[in-house]
């Protein structure tokens, strides 16, 4: 029909795309393995685009300018459709691998990089990948009860009214939930009580009671303790259990990327500081090897700037003990204060000072403190 210029029935193109995606498989020992289509474009397009960008300065300018725009457009497209995709995770991991490959095959053979520097860069890359692997694990999903065990909203309201009749079991459950959410007694002598106006709420999607600061991720379809945001770069939520690993992965990436950029610029632009060489490097396009290395440096610089902004926002949020989700809700309800030029939104609910806020963050995911029977009574 398409070849003969006839109209296609509604949904035909989507059906064709789904069929192709289902048939795209690779042979394996235990049987053909299905390939996620979103994994393929970065593996093909990234090296091709960078190779083309290294041919001429103007081509590099056009490609390196349009590439972030295309990535952002795809992000907003998938975010609006509430779709999960492995595109960004594939792009991030393959970018790391390809940059490391160019560094070893184009920069190191020039003889200006020492063996110890290569080892230091490799160790930073391994540490970053280890932290990323930890950040990919359980972010703190709330357990989903079986269908016959799910309490109703009315039952929970009745239990809250008759809280004194639940005995030690109910009290210990409340205490543990407070401890999990970082409100346990001991942070700068804070009270173990939740801030005034902060209550547990009912999730209609998961059919469970969420503790304070927990939230429902519409992409994962699960409730997460102390939900910060859903990160497309790790294709997972950032919550109570993996927030520290997420910050560690970002920090290792920043250090490794800046170090690699510095080593590369010192090699292809001798006698100039890295900042000056990034904008003025005569002879960078004199040979293809130098041009490819310089193009990859600019690609790394663009990605590093974006990740640096994300890390800055995260560090500021931790300093004020606010999550991205809480900041977004505060902006929607007009209940927060814009600080530092709007970089951070202070809700005022959990902010207990810089040291206490960081102490609270560093204790996330730790086992709740043991409480004596006298404290419970």
């Amino acid at each position: 029909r398409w070849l003969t210029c006839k109209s296609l029935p509604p949904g035909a193109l989507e059906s064709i795309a789904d069929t192709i995606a289902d048939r795209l498989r690779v042979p394996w020992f235990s049987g053909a393995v299905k390939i996620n289509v979103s994994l393929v474009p970065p593996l093909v397009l990234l090296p091709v685009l960078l190779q083309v960008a290294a041919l001429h300065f103007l081509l590099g300018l056009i490609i390196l300018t349009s590439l972030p725009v295309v990535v952002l457009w795809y992000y907003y497209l998938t975010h609006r459709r509430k779709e999960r995709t492995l595109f960004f995770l594939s792009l991030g991991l393959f970018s790391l691998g390809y940059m490391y490959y160019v560094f070893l095959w184009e920069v190191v053979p020039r003889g200006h990089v020492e063996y110890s520097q290569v080892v230091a860069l490799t160790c930073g890359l391994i540490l970053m990948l280890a932290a990323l692997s930890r950040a990919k694990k359980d972010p703190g999903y709330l357990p989903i009860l079986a269908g016959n065990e799910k309490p109703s909203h009315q039952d929970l309201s009745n239990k809250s009214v008759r809280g004194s009749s639940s005995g030690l079991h109910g009290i210990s459950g409340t205490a543990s939930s407070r401890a999990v959410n970082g409100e346990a007694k001991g942070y700068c002598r804070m009270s173990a009580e939740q801030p005034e106006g902060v209550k547990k709420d009912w999730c209609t999607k998961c059919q469970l009671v969420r503790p304070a600061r927990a939230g429902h991720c519409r992409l994962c379809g699960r409730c997460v303790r102390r939900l910060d945001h859903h990160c497309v770069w790790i294709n997972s939520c950032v919550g109570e259990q993996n927030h520290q690993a997420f910050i560690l992965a970002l920090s290792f990436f920043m250090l490794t990327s800046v170090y690699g950029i510095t080593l590369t610029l010192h090699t292809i632009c001798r006698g100039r500081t890295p900042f000056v060489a990034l904008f003025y490097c005569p002879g960078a396009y004199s040979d293809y090897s130098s041009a490819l290395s310089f193009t990859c440096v600019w690609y790394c610089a663009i990605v590093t700037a974006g990740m640096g902004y994300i890390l800055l926002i995260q560090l500021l949020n931790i300093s004020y003990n606010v999550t991205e989700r809480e900041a977004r809700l505060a902006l929607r309800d007009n209940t927060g204060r814009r600080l530092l030029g709007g970089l951070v939104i202070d809700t005022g609910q959990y902010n207990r000072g810089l040291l206490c806020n960081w102490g609270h963050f560093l204790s996330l995911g730790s086992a709740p403190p043991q409480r004596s029977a006298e404290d419970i009574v």
Side-chain angles (χ1 to χ4, degrees):
R1 282 179 163 269
W2 179 69
L3 291 176
T4 56
C5 300
K6 295 181 180 179
S7 61
L8 295 175
L13 293 179
E14 290 79 1
S15 177
I16 294 173
D18 293 339
T19 303
I20 294 176
D22 181 68
R23 298 297 186 270
L24 188 60
R25 300 170 184 263
V26 294
W28 198 247
F29 298 102
S30 58
V33 178
K34 183 178 178 181
I35 300 178
N36 194 310
V37 180
S38 59
L39 290 171
V40 179
L43 305 181
V44 178
L45 294 179
L46 182 64
V48 171
L49 291 177
L50 291 179
Q51 296 278 350
V52 173
L55 295 176
H56 194 272
F57 171 74
L58 292 179
L59 288 174
L61 182 63
I62 294 173
I63 291 176
L64 293 177
T65 303
S66 59
L67 192 59
V69 177
V70 174
V71 172
L72 288 175
W73 169 80
Y74 185 71
Y75 166 75
Y76 285 114
L77 180 65
T78 55
H79 186 72
R80 187 177 67 233
R81 294 181 177 179
K82 303 179 183 179
E83 296 178 353
R84 295 190 66 177
T85 175
L86 294 174
F87 173 84
F88 299 98
L89 179 61
S90 174
L91 177 62
L93 293 177
F94 187 68
S95 296
L96 289 173
Y98 189 71
M99 296 304 106
Y100 188 67
Y101 165 80
V102 172
F103 179 79
L104 292 180
W105 288 95
E106 302 294 345
V107 179
V108 174
R110 293 173 179 264
H112 301 293
V113 180
E114 298 179 1
Y115 177 76
S116 59
Q117 293 174 326
V118 177
V119 172
L121 185 69
T122 305
C123 290
L125 184 62
I126 294 174
L127 291 174
M128 192 276 296
L129 292 176
L132 182 63
S133 176
R134 175 61 187 86
K136 281 282 296 174
K137 295 182 179 180
D138 181 15
Y141 291 123
L142 291 175
I144 298 179
L145 301 177
N148 56 353
E149 296 180 358
K150 290 183 179 179
S152 64
H153 197 181
Q154 183 65 29
D155 294 338
L156 293 167
S157 300
N158 295 335
K159 287 183 180 180
S160 63
V161 173
R162 301 192 303 270
S164 59
S165 64
S166 58
L168 293 178
H169 177 72
I171 296 175
S172 61
T174 305
S176 63
S177 65
R178 288 171 182 163
V180 167
N181 284 277
E183 299 298 331
K185 189 175 180 180
Y187 291 113
C188 301
R189 298 180 181 178
M190 281 197 305
S191 172
E193 296 296 327
Q194 299 285 357
E196 185 177 354
V198 177
K199 300 179 181 178
K200 297 180 180 180
D201 58 349
W202 171 258
C203 178
T204 58
K205 300 288 182 62
C206 298
Q207 295 292 300
L208 51 78
V209 182
R210 293 186 300 212
R213 310 193 76 176
H216 183 85
C217 176
R218 62 180 186 176
L219 296 179
C220 295
R222 296 282 300 274
C223 285
V224 182
R225 295 188 184 95
R226 198 182 179 276
L227 175 62
D228 189 85
H229 69 287
H230 182 93
C231 180
V232 296
W233 295 105
I234 64 174
N235 193 34
S236 178
C237 289
V238 176
E240 181 179 88
Q241 298 294 329
N242 66 341
H243 201 168
Q244 296 173 353
F246 179 74
I247 296 297
L248 199 61
L250 280 177
S251 302
F252 279 130
F253 171 80
M254 292 295 299
L255 293 174
T256 305
S257 180
V258 171
Y259 187 59
I261 290 174
T262 302
L263 292 177
T264 304
L265 288 177
H266 274 313
T267 301
I268 62 178
C269 300
R270 305 288 295 173
R272 289 181 172 81
T273 61
F275 183 79
V276 174
L278 189 62
F279 296 95
Y280 181 69
C281 183
Y285 286 86
S286 58
D287 60 276
Y288 186 76
S289 177
S290 299
L292 180 61
S293 302
F294 189 71
T295 302
C296 290
V297 161
W298 258 105
Y299 176 74
C300 288
I302 294 173
V303 175
T304 303
M307 294 301 162
Y309 176 77
I310 295 176
L311 179 61
L312 175 63
I313 297 299
Q314 286 289 313
L315 296 179
L316 291 175
N317 286 343
I318 294 170
S319 300
Y320 286 90
N321 201 359
V322 63
T323 64
E324 282 291 319
R325 175 178 176 270
E326 292 167 350
R328 186 173 63 252
L329 294 177
L331 284 178
R332 186 193 66 183
D333 301 333
N334 197 21
T335 57
R337 296 184 304 154
R338 290 180 178 269
L339 301 175
L340 302 178
L343 290 177
V344 64
I345 307 297
D346 183 17
T347 61
Q349 289 181 310
Y350 301 98
N351 189 1
R352 298 295 185 270
L354 181 65
L355 295 180
C356 292
N357 293 339
W358 273 95
H360 167 77
F361 174 76
L362 294 177
S363 65
L364 289 179
S366 59
Q370 298 293 331
R371 306 187 68 180
S372 64
E374 295 179 358
D375 294 336
I376 296 178
V377 175

